[in-house]
Amino acid sequence: GDSVTQMEGPVTLSEEAFLTINCTYTATGYPSLFWYVQYPGEGLQLLLKATKADDKGSNKGFEATYRKETTSFHLEKGSVQVSDSAVYFCALKETSGSRLTFGEGTQLTVNP
Amino acid sequence: GAVVSQHPSWVICKSGTSVKIECRSLDFQATTMFWYRQFPKQSLMLMATSNEGSKATYEQGVEKDKFLINHASLTLSTLTVTSAHPEDSSFYICSARDPGAGTETQYFGPGTRLLVL
């Protein structure tokens, strides 16, 4: 079945540091890929997405590129802020249906 | 963006009692809602898919008689944990699909933390 594997956390960075959170997936078809963010006390919010190979999703300075050859969708940001502290979830959705499969989540803490 | 609410946000109950959790789409009509369970430091696990006006579709290993789902209107789905036991303690999250936003888009509620004593 489908699965998503994220790098283990927690991740602690200083403000303005470079961020990478690795995500790899296993799927039978050609899934859409997502990054969701969960701020403390809030629900998950869609951060960015990519629907086909080589697509790059971007939002709020975050980027991720859909790499079919390596089945990866790594999240990056060039300069993190304290306000980026949250839990980040990588997820996939198969072409048919609405079902999302999530990774384990990665806790990010950014210190001033 | 669209808003999904959950109520209550916290619930503590005694073992053997039943607990109902509500999930509402506040500014759109959700034909499909999803219920997830999240254990500490673990991923969200899909429990069931709820379609308005029809029976929910449960994932393998989820007891449908224990986790009753009702999606009686386009803005409300409820999850009832029947005869709750300590092992049911968890974080329950719902999401709703806005058909006007395409099949890719799900909006998530803030979650309900259940503690069974």
Side-chain angles (χ1 to χ4, degrees):
Chain A
D2 298 343
S3 67
V4 176
T5 302
Q6 286 180 235
M7 68 182 289
E8 290 187 17
V11 174
T12 302
L13 297 173
S14 298
E15 206 165 22
E16 299 184 2
F18 185 86
L19 168 71
T20 299
I21 301 178
N22 290 338
C23 171
T24 57
Y25 68 90
T26 302
T28 54
Y30 299 93
S32 295
L33 301 175
F34 305 82
W35 277 100
Y36 282 85
V37 58
Q38 186 178 30
Y39 298 104
E42 298 184 18
L44 274 74
Q45 302 173 25
L46 179 63
L47 180 60
L48 54 84
K49 68 179 183 182
T51 58
K52 62 182 188 296
D54 300 326
D55 269 2
K56 177 186 286 187
S58 61
N59 185 25
K60 299 181 180 180
F62 291 89
E63 293 183 340
T65 301
Y66 190 142
R67 300 288 187 197
K68 193 172 187 303
E69 63 276 15
T70 55
T71 61
S72 65
F73 193 55
H74 304 323
L75 182 68
E76 296 182 337
K77 186 173 185 180
S79 176
V80 293
Q81 305 301 312
V82 173
S83 58
D84 294 327
S85 298
V87 181
Y88 292 82
F89 291 91
C90 185
L92 70 80
K93 187 183 81 68
E94 285 287 5
T95 305
S96 61
S98 304
R99 175 182 175 164
L100 287 169
T101 300
F102 286 89
E104 302 86 353
T106 302
Q107 172 76 56
L108 170 66
T109 301
V110 181
N111 295 318
Chain B
V3 178
V4 174
S5 69
Q6 281 185 241
H7 179 79
S9 55
W10 262 100
V11 58
I12 301 174
C13 69
K14 293 182 179 180
S15 185
T17 61
S18 294
V19 174
K20 179 184 285 188
I21 302 170
E22 294 184 348
C23 176
R24 293 182 184 272
S25 56
L26 297 186
D27 48 6
F28 65 99
Q29 293 185 329
T31 53
T32 304
M33 290 185 170
F34 304 86
W35 286 97
Y36 296 86
R37 183 172 179 178
Q38 184 181 25
F39 292 100
K41 298 184 180 181
Q42 294 188 26
S43 181
L44 281 73
M45 301 300 297
L46 180 64
M47 299 174 66
T49 302
S50 168
N51 293 298
E52 187 268 337
S54 64
K55 290 184 179 180
T57 302
Y58 289 82
E59 295 298 303
Q60 191 172 8
V62 178
E63 298 176 59
K64 62 180 181 181
D65 294 331
K66 176 144 186 82
F67 299 99
L68 300 179
I69 292 172
N70 185 288
H71 191 164
S73 79
L74 287 172
T75 59
L76 173 64
S77 177
T78 61
L79 168 67
T80 301
V81 183
T82 62
S83 186
H85 291 284
E87 59 266 28
D88 298 323
S89 299
S90 192
F91 194 51
Y92 293 88
I93 302 172
C94 74
S95 70
R97 187 172 71 84
D98 180 356
T103 60
E104 304 282 322
T105 306
Q106 291 185 28
Y107 299 98
F108 285 80
T112 296
R113 193 164 298 282
L114 169 64
L115 178 61
V116 184
L117 302 177

